[in-house]
Amino acid sequence: MDRPSLPRAVLKAVRRRADGGGGAPEDGSPRISWWRRPGQSAALLAALLTATAFCAADAVAGSYPFGPRTRSVNDLGNQYVPFHAHLWDLLHGRADGGLLVNWQSGYGSSFLPDLGTYLSSPFALLVALFPRDEIDLVVYVVTALKTMSAGAAMAWLLLRLRPGRWWAAGLLGAAYALCGWSLADASYNPMWLDGLVALPLLCLVGEWALSGRRRLLGVVIVALAWIANFYTAYMATLGAGLVLLLRLWLGRLPRRRALRAAGRAAATVALGVGLSAPLVTVIYRGTQHAYPGRVTHFSPVPAEDVLARLLPTTYGFGSPALFVGTTALLLALALPFHSAAPKRVRAGWPLLVAAVALSLQWTPTHLAWHAFATPNGSPYRQAFVLCALLVIAAWHTLSYGTPGPRALGAAATLLALIAAVASGSGLVRSFAWPVLLLAATGALAGLLLLGRAERGASAAGAGSATEDARGFADGGGSATGRAPVSADGGGSATGGAPGDGPRLPSDGPHPPGTAAGPSTVPRPPAVRRPRPGGAPSPAGRRQRRRTALAGLAVVLLTAVQLGEATATSAVATRLRLAHLDDYAPWGARQQRQADAIARVEDWPRYRTDPGREQTVGNDPMMVGGQGAQYYSSLTADVLSRMLTALGDGWTSRGRNLQSLDNAVTDAVFSVGARVHSPPDPHQDWYARDPSPPSVSRQEVPPLVTVRPAGAAGPARAGVAAFGPSPYRNQELVLGARVYTVPRLTLRTGAGEQPDRSADAARPGLRFGAARRAAGALPAPKPSITARCPAGSEVYLWAPHFYGTARLTAAPAGGTGAGAAHGYGPTGRFRSDAAKIAAMQRLGRVPVSGRLRIELTPTRAGTVPDGAVGCLDTARLHTAVEHLKATGASEVSVSDGTLHARLPAHSTGTAVVAAPRIAGWRCAAGNGPAVPAEQYYGLIAVPLDGSATSVICTFHPPGLRLGTAVGGASLLVLALLGALGAVRRRRTAGRPAPHPTPTRPRERTTSAL
């Protein structure tokens, strides 16, 4: 006698459920297309709505690529676009360097930490498909795709958490993707958007941990999330952990089963993070060696500002952007009053939302969210987690049926209270109120219409007409009606969200339009006989009316979501331009610079600097060449301090280094060609200059030079050996005395000596901003007078001066033809609390030896003692010729390896014109490779006269440790996979037990 088994229809349904609804139904009906299944349909709808609002907002704001206004503000133009341009060069074999070292920026910087910070997202690889001169469009497309993916992932997750209407899941998925954090903060920090995508995926991993399925895929998702952007992935992991804990509490699982589920989730995260360790540890060690910048302390914003950011079209830098759409907000507010939802659900999700909201404002939890370091810039980078919780709470409200008038009335009252409190915030502008009124009215009307359609369907009772109307109102179903739903709230057997086996016990009744029961075979459609004469029955008329109401509700809710998201994004785009630095997209200026560099570039024989007048903070990566410019969150401490001591300028509190146009530093760093461009016409800091870029050439030593024995002795402490004068510091690195630093006489426009600054951080004599009354003659300007050797080059070092400086022929009151004109270029200085100005070349000392520098301060600033240096170019030429004669005869560079051939019997110290960042190891001749020494911040290798070559290799700090951790995680994962395969094989070989006539403990439908 054959052993009893489950019906074939049940087995097929189980297989389709495990596959997410695929396969042909057992009744012979046509196979459902993948895009018509509820999960996929919801994801596609969310992505479509997101793309529509995202692009429409830029069109309304007149922003690139749909208008004349640039979208490259702040770090988007300074960092992300240039880094993607460098990635394009890497993928096409045109970059100077590789994955380990970026030789174009910062005279040689570690690239792997930057890759993991800015470019490790899988979306970044799309850059290879676009032309190089469309790099801004590439970043825009990548940003849009990330945002769309976040909406699709959230829609998929919502149907996994609770069954419901596919279109509602798509609408709320788009609400998450278009949340205020995404539109106002992450849109110009595209790397953060990977966290927006990761959060719903990590929540899905938590669901798999509950059911004990898809463990390998869960580990891969965690690893990809942490690789894509470990910073926001860390926040997303915390948020997904909170969701998992709440799901365990709502499910009322036995303690042992709950602990096993939590253990599976923790192991999945640990293995996933371990697989990402080769990149994450490199980034972590990079932050340890980075310039610290400004140390900030968290200060929470007022409560009215927090509540204001829940409303549409509000904007304020430094406040949490919590907008998720009025519909989602109303549904989340209605959950505690929704009588159809279980009490635990009505209490659990609102309490979690409130707890996370409070954690944004408390310093200890603020630090925990940000990996225990208050960030520079926006202090609410974890706000997307709260946005996700609001959307999930809204979905739970809707999944138990549309809230009734009482619940919606309570939600509307809470929304009015939020608006009343937020009215005291300066972030709510006048145009926000009509947008809020229209959005609230439309959302309430749509929800009331949807509720009426539901109640009509419920009142009609069981029947085919009711089933058909309910199928449309619920957004699912097929010709056979809506398929059964598992008792634990899973999707349907023929098209729900992807199933993963048994899930949590039911946390409440199923939404209207779903059925729960022991049957696993879809119910055949009811057969109705046509009425005589073809006249519609009363039930048919009621069905059409309910269908019309549901359709109108869908259209209304969608229009509200698209309208307010578009308006909010457009407002954020316009207001960002008002208070953040902005930069022009790739255009004629950058193309001319790139062409000029390409004509003279000869790396590694010498460097070609893109020039002092930069377009963005990372010009070398944008237009080519190899210079000092470098802007990254991981700018090395040794590089920033070394260049600052040599007279360079920076912004972003030391992490955005500028080019230094100085003959001595050009010789030190082997800059043999330099581009000179007029100021960027996109900026309004200075008058426009239509002249084309030019290139200057000079003889410089090779990349590797040899310094005499004992020259590096005082520099054992590295950059700490530098003194206060940048001119003397340059001489130390050069190894020769080439400057005259004269005594200065400083006078205000009135001829008086300025007051000395009392600020120790800005020493020197203080000058006020020049003022001119309307119609009055120009007032006399402050000046600096000194005496220097005739013909020497004049440099002015004034790091805390804001304005212009111009060298004139004679002191004030002098006579002669040369007294009225300048002898050199105008020096431009910009400084404030976050930036210092670089040393500037002003021209040559007149024959008399008396020089006068005329200052035009734009803001109050200081000029330090020893601000003027006069360079003897003849002495510099002698020093350069000596370094060329004793330096390397041949230098080759390949990614993280540098090889130099030296003259025989070289003694002293071989100095590589690159910053001695952590990770460099060098060997002289056939000697062992040891950590490189420093020569005033540069790479140094001792020579004993026997070596004729030097080889230096770069190993990013943390790479070995990360590789070991990643290898161990991979080994553990392989062992677990092997054990699981063995266990499954043994289980498959055993005979199945005879079924008992009683009902099984686990219902069959829990797997569907």
Side-chain angles (χ1 to χ4, degrees), residues 706-716 732 735 907-910 934-936 942-943:
V706 178
R707 309 304 171 92
R716 294 297 181 184
L732 285 175
T907 59
T909 304
Q934 278 202 44
Y935 181 87
Y936 299 106
L943 301 174

Side-chain angles (χ1 to χ4, degrees), residues 55-210:
C55 296
D58 288 325
V60 171
S63 177
Y64 179 89
F66 303 103
R69 295 184 178 89
T70 179
R71 69 184 303 269
S72 294
V73 299
N74 208 18
D75 290 348
L76 179 61
N78 265 335
Q79 289 182 306
Y80 306 118
V81 173
F83 273 111
H84 279 80
H86 188 68
L87 178 62
W88 191 98
D89 292 335
L90 276 175
L91 295 175
H92 290 82
R94 292 174 45 180
D96 295 328
L99 295 178
L100 300 181
V101 178
N102 169 18
W103 287 103
Q104 295 184 246
S105 303
Y107 294 134
S109 58
S110 179
F111 183 65
L112 197 56
D114 286 333
L115 177 71
T117 302
Y118 302 103
L119 300 171
S120 54
S121 171
F123 292 94
L125 296 176
L126 294 174
V127 70
L129 304 180
F130 289 74
R132 178 65 160 75
D133 57 359
E134 295 290 349
I135 193 64
D136 297 275
L137 181 61
V138 177
V139 175
Y140 184 86
V141 171
V142 168
T143 304
L145 288 177
K146 287 184 179 182
T147 311
M148 294 164 59
S149 300
M154 177 56 75
W156 193 274
L157 171 68
L158 295 179
L159 286 174
R160 181 65 182 85
L161 293 175
R162 284 279 302 169
R165 307 166 181 84
W166 68 266
W167 62 263
L171 193 64
L172 290 177
Y176 168 71
L178 298 169
C179 67
W181 180 88
S182 171
L183 300 176
D185 294 337
S187 61
Y188 68 97
N189 292 280
M191 65 177 185
W192 294 353
L193 288 172
D194 292 292
L196 194 74
V197 179
L199 178 55
L201 294 179
L202 292 175
C203 290
L204 190 60
V205 171
E207 294 298 303
W208 295 339
L210 288 176

